[in-house]
Amino acid sequence: MTAGEEGLIQLYAKALRLPTVADCAAIVREATQQRWGYEEFLRAVLQRELEQRQDNQRKRRVKAARFPQIKTLDTFDFGWLKHMEKAQVYELATGRFIEKKQPVLMFGNPGTGKTHLAIALAYQVCQLGYTTRFYTAGELVTDLAEASQQGRLSALQAKLIKVDLLVIDELSYISFGRASAELLFQVISNRYERGSLLITTNLPFSRWTELFGDATLTAALVDRLAHRAILLDMNGESYRLKQAQAQRKEG
Ligand code: ADP
Ligand code: MG
């Protein structure tokens, strides 16, 4: 390949926004050495560009999700909670519940892997092409209150509806005021049937009135959620406690 040719390829590729095509010297060399046909060469160039683009998009989705840390399904010990079914979790990992706009609720006491599993599932569906946003309930309430004060509540609400999967982790009794409770309530009910939600909580439905205050509204929300949701019972022995005990023994 002459310098002039290479320069023109780079110019065209840049104008067309094809960065791996612009950076083609290595693949041209390989094609020459291996005596690839035209078709094989063109296929390889396009494939490389496509794979790079998909990889970038996956990274962008993971970044936009704002996970506090990355947790994956393959590091999750399915033997720990005896009543949890691995098959059910892997069914969730296909993202079909997102297509059906189903809510997923994980109930359980602290330390049983709810946050781990919520991140791992959301991370997995990011890989599949779904957009997600991870919040703790506390962060979400803060963001909503702030947006409300700054007059951009509807913009935030629109964003929260648009994402394919909204994760609300640690929905538990936090002493937020009436107005904040209402904002959180609205987010959850707005997404009902419009998009998937993944909620983790230590509170059974029977205690959700403590969260939202209004018994009638809460009953209606719980009713609608329970009707369509996939429920995971994650009560059990704390994995965190087991880890801490194992470390103490080692030390
Ligand atoms: P929860 O959100 O239910 O309070 P976490 O998901 O934060 O619990 O789990 C606490 C710690 O234990 C985390 O470091 C998590 O990775 C780990 N953990 C919990 N359950 C499991 C499990 N079944 N397999 C592997 N690690 C687990
Ligand atoms: Mg947690």
Side-chain angles (χ1 to χ4, degrees):
M1 185 164 55
T2 66
E5 286 279 18
E6 193 173 351
L8 281 174
I9 290 169
Q10 280 173 359
L11 196 71
Y12 297 151
K14 268 209 184 110
L16 291 165
R17 296 176 201 278
L18 302 168
T20 74
V21 174
D23 187 22
C24 69
I27 202 166
V28 168
R29 214 176 308 122
E30 188 182 351
T32 311
Q33 278 166 6
Q34 306 287 331
R35 297 170 188 278
W36 289 354
Y38 293 120
E39 285 170 4
E40 194 177 3
F41 175 70
L42 186 58
R43 193 261 309 144
V45 168
L46 293 176
Q47 185 180 345
R48 223 168 55 128
E49 183 66 41
L50 180 65
E51 283 171 357
Q52 182 68 52
R53 192 171 293 186
Q54 288 172 336
D55 196 45
N56 289 342
Q57 286 167 343
R58 269 193 295 273
K59 283 184 186 137
R60 230 174 293 144
R61 283 193 298 272
V62 169
K63 196 163 172 230
R66 310 243 204 128
F67 298 116
Q69 54 195 315
I70 300 298
K71 297 273 183 182
T72 56
L73 287 172
D74 52 312
T75 60
F76 193 77
D77 175 4
F78 284 92
W80 182 247
L81 293 177
K82 297 288 178 274
H83 53 276
M84 279 262 300
E85 277 180 52
K86 189 172 176 176
Q88 188 183 22
V89 173
Y90 273 86
E91 164 60 30
L92 290 175
T94 63
R96 272 190 283 267
F97 73 101
I98 298 176
E99 296 298 329
K100 294 190 216 153
K101 304 187 190 304
Q102 270 184 299
V104 176
L105 284 119
M106 299 178 181
F107 294 96
N109 49 293
T112 57
K114 296 181 299 300
T115 298
H116 183 136
L117 205 54
I119 294 175
L121 281 171
Y123 179 76
Q124 177 57 29
V125 300
C126 272
Q127 306 299 313
L128 300 178
Y130 296 104
T131 57
T132 76
R133 179 67 168 88
F134 183 98
Y135 274 105
T136 63
E139 286 164 358
L140 182 54
V141 164
T142 308
D143 269 21
L144 285 165
E146 225 174 74
S148 172
Q149 274 160 19
Q150 296 168 359
R152 44 177 187 82
L153 182 61
S154 25
L156 178 58
Q157 283 170 331
K159 244 200 216 159
L160 294 172
I161 285 184
K162 224 171 108 195
V163 71
D164 293 324
L165 174 66
L166 179 68
V167 183
I168 306 178
D169 191 29
E170 282 174 44
L171 184 67
S172 59
Y173 183 76
I174 14 177
S175 48
F176 37 76
R178 179 88 197 174
S180 299
E182 251 164 48
L183 290 174
L184 186 61
F185 182 92
Q186 263 171 29
V187 168
I188 296 176
S189 46
N190 277 349
R191 272 195 75 89
Y192 178 75
E193 280 190 341
R194 284 196 225 166
S196 266
L197 263 173
L198 195 170
I199 296 177
T200 83
T201 180
N202 61 346
L203 294 176
F205 279 144
S206 59
R207 293 187 52 196
W208 279 32
T209 310
E210 292 168 38
L211 291 169
F212 301 118
D214 189 312
T216 315
L217 279 182
T218 306
L221 176 68
V222 163
D223 217 51
R224 280 184 294 162
L225 273 180
H227 171 62
R228 301 192 61 236
I230 298 163
L231 308 177
L232 298 182
D233 174 8
M234 294 186 65
N235 281 291
E237 250 184 285
S238 165
Y239 193 92
R240 193 185 281 126
L241 213 63
K242 178 202 94 150
Q243 271 181 332
Q245 282 163 354
Q247 268 166 16
R248 230 172 287 138
K249 268 182 204 149
E250 278 166 28

